[in-house]
Amino acid sequence: MSIRVTRVATILGLWLALPAAVMALDVRIGYVQWVPDAGPVLSNVTPDPEDAGLRGAELAAADNNASGRFLDQHYALESHVAESEEQAHAAFEQMLDDGIELFVLRVPAETLVTMADAATERALVFNAGAKEDSLRTGDCRPHVLHTQPSYAMLTDALAQWLNLRRWQQAFLIAGPTDDDRAWAEAFRRSAGRFGIELVADKTWTFDADLRRTASRELPLFTQADDYDVVVVADTRGDFGEYVPFNTWLPRPVVGTQGMSPVAWHRVVESWGAAQLQNRFRELAGRDMNGEDYAAWAGVRSLGTAVTELGAADREAIRDFILSEDFQLAAFKGRRLGYRPWNGQLRQPIPLVHPQGLVITAPIEGFLHPVTDLDSLGYDAAESDCRIRP
């Protein structure tokens, strides 16, 4: 028998020896998205694409199928973009009734908690939308994992960079919305953690049209004896776009505007990310953003686990993902895993401005006894969550 025939026979034998569940496996993943209307803003900020998140999930499903076809694994993404919270709940319940047990959700925190409680013992859920720290510190659910970075992870990344640059006196401006307050509160914690002094902490409550008055309003608002940097918490873009170059002192602007910590951005290109960016542009006709990346990471986590396990059992997937054996190839310079106490995806955080990458946190020198990725966000000792015994 020739060497070639022997090799073919060996490969055929290995293929026939694979378990039947591995040779033919259909995996259904539900995706539900509902983003409340934020209302009109006072600046000309470019709105997020309406399909942000959904397109990331679609790309990940295609990636899963690209690798899964060699194992005869087929992934079907069943998606619904809702126009109201009621529609989102109805779509989720219908998918549960149809037998879907694996979900990626981009919904607000309160909606996520309600859905998770409705799916107890019925589904494994990935949170690709809500950044609230409470979901990682106390209001946890054993069957909810998080691919969206928390507010604390984002602001810790920023505070590490400020510490590195020795910009240790900050002027904080927070907007009036709940998200603004949550972002600002996370930064206050990060400031204390990394040695940043808040020389001013003010809330922006004006409704003036800054397109006409920014050069008058903002210098007066940012008056102080001295500060190294202005930190803005304006998640909607009501006023933050006008802060750069309009401060009382000539200082850099960081936070939700200026240089920002994000889950993902079009300027991230290292570690093979350019290839991911190009595939996303081909699919969606636009750049990939943080919401797309979080949804992509959720669907890809499922694909990675199913490939390793050869099965789509939700409990087995959850246990494997929360184990030290799970590793997600995520184009961020290292293989990522999930925190076993609260289900948060550990991940580096890029700090970017609109046209370039500044640095990626965690920054060298900020150490941790387990992994430097846990220097971003609430550590195990700071969280009451213990979703894995």
Side-chain angles (χ1 to χ4, degrees), residues 296-320:
W296 177 89
V299 176
R300 281 297 290 145
S301 292
L302 289 170
T304 300
V306 170
T307 297
E308 183 68 25
L309 297 172
D313 177 75
R314 69 174 187 276
E315 291 299 326
I317 290 173
R318 176 192 175 277
D319 291 344
F320 176 63

Side-chain angles (χ1 to χ4, degrees), residues 23 42 49 69 82 107 167 199 247 253 345 359 371 388:
M23 294 182 63
L42 300 178
R69 69 173 181 267
V107 295
W167 293 358
V199 299
T247 55
V253 174
L345 179 66
I359 198 169
T371 169
R388 191 186 74 176

